[in-house]
Amino acid sequence: HYRGRSFPWRRPFSRLSCRCRTLWCTEHSRPRNVSISEDQIFQSVIGAIGYIKENLQSKLSVEQIAEHAGFSKYYFLRLFKRITGTSIMGYLQSCRLAAAKQYLAGTSKSIGEIVDSCGFSDSSNFSRTFKEQVGCTPSEFRKRYKNI
């Protein structure tokens, strides 16, 4: 207020910001009064799992996966965890490791090619993650399980 008067130019901006917030909220989250059946949720999670497997070599983000499923990021994180018992990123990592194991045991691709094919950010990240999760290095795994 300026000398007892409000600034008239602020009103259009405050209405505009309210409209923008409302539009953003309706675009990025499910309305609370709309119920989604468990079957719809289950189908969305199954669709997201298919999307992950089809795009394993890509640099997938939680936002992309949630958008593909038609939910906001945080809402879908909760749904995915509730349905699968694991986080989206945990599931993505396990899929990438499973694919890497198949490549290591069944092909002669180099580690760099496997890193690219499975969507890991770089070779050192891949080797570290592989050793933490599997218990041996990718090279050791390949020696043990090559063409079994």
Side-chain angles (χ1 to χ4, degrees):
H1 293 292
Y2 179 73
R3 294 188 186 172
R5 293 177 286 174
S6 64
F7 295 108
W9 55 267
R10 281 195 171 171
R11 284 187 209 128
F13 290 113
S14 66
R15 274 187 249 135
L16 179 62
S17 75
C18 286
R19 284 188 197 132
C20 289
R21 276 190 302 242
T22 303
L23 285 173
W24 188 88
C25 288
T26 56
E27 296 264 333
H28 292 83
S29 65
R30 291 283 180 187
R32 294 187 187 268
N33 59 351
V34 175
S35 89
I36 302 167
S37 73
E38 284 297 312
D39 187 52
Q40 289 172 315
I41 292 169
F42 185 74
Q43 291 303 317
S44 294
V45 170
I46 295 297
I49 288 170
Y51 180 74
I52 288 169
K53 289 182 178 183
E54 289 171 11
N55 296 286
L56 204 55
Q57 74 286 351
S58 302
K59 305 292 186 228
L60 289 175
S61 68
V62 175
E63 290 85 0
Q64 289 172 312
I65 298 167
E67 183 178 318
H68 176 78
F71 294 97
S72 71
K73 173 185 171 181
Y74 296 107
Y75 185 67
F76 193 65
L77 284 170
R78 291 191 306 270
L79 289 179
F80 193 91
K81 177 86 172 187
R82 189 178 86 205
I83 299 295
T84 64
T86 187
S87 69
I88 292 176
M89 294 312 287
Y91 181 78
L92 178 60
Q93 185 180 58
S94 68
C95 286
R96 285 182 170 155
L97 286 172
K101 287 179 189 178
Q102 287 182 331
Y103 283 127
L104 288 167
T107 70
S108 57
K109 282 187 171 190
S110 70
I111 300 294
E113 290 173 317
I114 293 171
V115 166
D116 291 338
S117 297
C118 296
F120 286 94
S121 56
D122 57 56
S123 295
S124 62
N125 176 37
F126 167 66
S127 295
R128 183 180 61 253
T129 303
F130 195 92
K131 184 160 183 158
E132 287 172 1
Q133 298 297 315
V134 180
C136 62
T137 66
S139 299
E140 292 168 346
F141 183 89
R142 174 172 266 165
K143 286 177 190 170
R144 276 189 222 156
Y145 299 104
K146 182 74 175 162
N147 296 322
I148 289 183

